[in-house]
Amino acid sequence: MTRTLILLLALAPAGVAHAQDVTLKPLGEARLRYESVDQDGLAAEADALTLRVRAGVEAKAGRWSALVEGQGNLALVDDYFDGLHGGATRPLVADPQNIALARAQLRYASPTFAVTAGRQRIALDDERFVGAVPFRQNGQSFDALRAEITPIKGVKADVSYAWSVRTVWGIDGAGARQQAVSGDNVFGNLSVQTPVGKAVAFAYLVDQDEAAMQGFRLSSQSYGVRLDGSQTLGKAKVAYQFSYARQSDWHRNPNDYAADYWLADVAVDLGGPRVGAGYEILGAGNGAAVTSFQTPLATGFKYQGWADKFLTTPPDGVRDLYASAGWGWKVVGPLKAVTLQAVYHDYRSDRAGRAYGEEIDLLASARLGKLTASARYAHYDADTFATDTDKYWLQLDWML
């Protein structure tokens, strides 16, 4: 945090505005969640009832702003393995109790240039490579310096240097699950708006220096391109994503490898019913060591199923063929943004095409005022990878 404070003090201007020109905005949110996990191979189930609260304030003066936010996570029912305490006799629920400084940042923003220094959340594109992990109670943030440049309309350069990643494991993080992972991380992202969508070229250099967790084996350099857009066809809206990246070892990683990433995703919204399909590949590496495409800083819960079986890519890679169907209503009585969704996944290895398993994910959610309620279910049916698992979630979110 020392480097963060030095940057904040260095960038803070003297006499930016008089006191009467400063506006204050309170920040507040709370989340109550029950998560239950039944996993083959473990004698006991996991039952976790956790309450996450965040509170802070943002001060703005002209083009400058300063933000401070703290967070705490309390386990009201702690019949689960949180990854840090006790033996792993119950399934893992990665929401340990925690109290921490979630964000402390200083920001300058003009129409063409913005810079943010300090502890902050960084979520790039679809968060497949760099994300804030918002589903987990403690989330993920970065001690970083970030610059966003918009020289002309529709063109944006986004460059970050992050020297510390604040993980979901919180203040008690240790061993293979550190509170913070240091390293010289560089995230570069150049986007251009085109008639068919936003085209992006990116370079993500991930440096994991923690020897205790052998994190340097996850140090990598990934270079790729992405297209994200949508078109209206009659009454239907067709959204699509296409992405490719090439990854290889970087910095202290002892493995000499290269692996590919592919994504093709299409979704159709008919103004109520919604259907979609996609194919994602995190490839097996071609080096002498057993390696595969890894994304340790991603928001992994968004990808390859909610059962979280593939947060770390298996050595032989993973291919995920998936299809979804659902229905959405803008308003149902007093409720807004009512959603029903079902997703099916078929997982196979990239090398040799072995069947890993299948998964079904179900979701129902709705909003009432400032309160959002959701219920989720995930069932993973193992073939040759991991074990059969059922997960249930009931969640209430409130935001100021």
Side-chain angles (χ1 to χ4, degrees), residues 46 64 193 198 229 261 311 315 354 363 373:
W64 290 87
Q193 292 291 345
K198 183 171 73 171
Y261 170 83
L311 293 181
R354 298 188 312 277
L363 168 67

Side-chain angles (χ1 to χ4, degrees), residues 10 14 31 36 45 59 80 84 129 139 154 170 173 192 211 248 264 267 310 320 336 351 357:
R31 175 193 287 164
S36 175
E45 297 182 8
Y80 66 100
L84 302 174
F129 292 85
V192 179
S248 59
F310 300 96
D320 177 15
K336 296 183 179 180
R351 182 182 285 117

Side-chain angles (χ1 to χ4, degrees), residues 111-123:
T112 59
F113 176 74
V115 60
T116 308
R119 185 162 300 172
Q120 57 191 283
R121 297 192 189 108
I122 300 177

Side-chain angles (χ1 to χ4, degrees), residues 39 41 43 93 169 175 194 223 256 331 368:
Q39 181 175 317
V93 176
W169 304 113
T194 75
Y223 305 92
D256 182 9
V331 179
L368 178 62

Side-chain angles (χ1 to χ4, degrees), residues 111-309:
T112 59
F113 176 74
V115 60
T116 308
R119 185 162 300 172
Q120 57 191 283
R121 297 192 189 108
I122 300 177
L124 299 176
D125 293 322
D126 58 353
E127 300 187 68
R128 192 55 177 109
F129 292 85
V130 181
V133 195
F135 184 77
R136 297 268 55 106
Q137 295 288 56
N138 294 318
Q140 178 172 271
S141 57
F142 300 82
D143 292 339
L145 179 64
R146 180 182 185 183
E148 300 166 79
I149 306 169
T150 309
I152 58 175
K153 184 178 180 180
V155 177
K156 181 180 178 180
D158 190 329
V159 180
S160 300
Y161 167 67
W163 56 89
S164 179
V165 181
R166 318 302 294 191
T167 74
V168 301
W169 304 113
I171 57 174
D172 292 333
R177 298 183 171 107
Q178 292 284 317
Q179 170 191 2
V181 181
S182 61
D184 296 315
N185 301 278
V186 180
F187 314 135
N189 189 298
L190 177 63
S191 63
V192 179
Q193 292 291 345
T194 75
V196 295
K198 183 171 73 171
V200 180
F202 57 82
Y204 299 136
L205 309 182
V206 175
D207 182 15
Q208 305 266 283
D209 269 350
E210 299 301 323
M213 59 187 293
Q214 295 193 15
F216 50 82
R217 296 182 182 276
L218 294 176
S219 297
S220 65
Q221 49 185 334
S222 301
Y223 305 92
V225 292
R226 170 181 167 81
L227 177 66
D228 180 0
S230 63
Q231 300 289 329
T232 300
L233 300 176
K235 296 182 178 181
K237 182 178 180 180
V238 181
Y240 43 84
Q241 304 175 64
F242 304 101
S243 187
Y244 168 76
R246 180 75 165 175
Q247 182 179 95
S248 59
D249 54 285
W250 190 60
H251 202 60
R252 294 176 58 201
N253 193 331
N255 298 319
D256 182 9
Y257 79 101
D260 294 317
Y261 170 83
W262 300 87
L263 170 69
D265 180 284
V266 178
V268 180
D269 187 340
L270 299 171
R274 302 167 182 171
V275 294
Y279 193 40
E280 184 184 44
I281 301 173
L282 279 78
N286 61 8
V290 180
T291 55
S292 55
F293 201 106
Q294 303 288 340
T295 58
L297 303 184
T299 296
F301 185 79
K302 293 176 61 177
Y303 298 92
Q304 298 175 339
W306 301 334
D308 280 348
K309 296 300 181 181

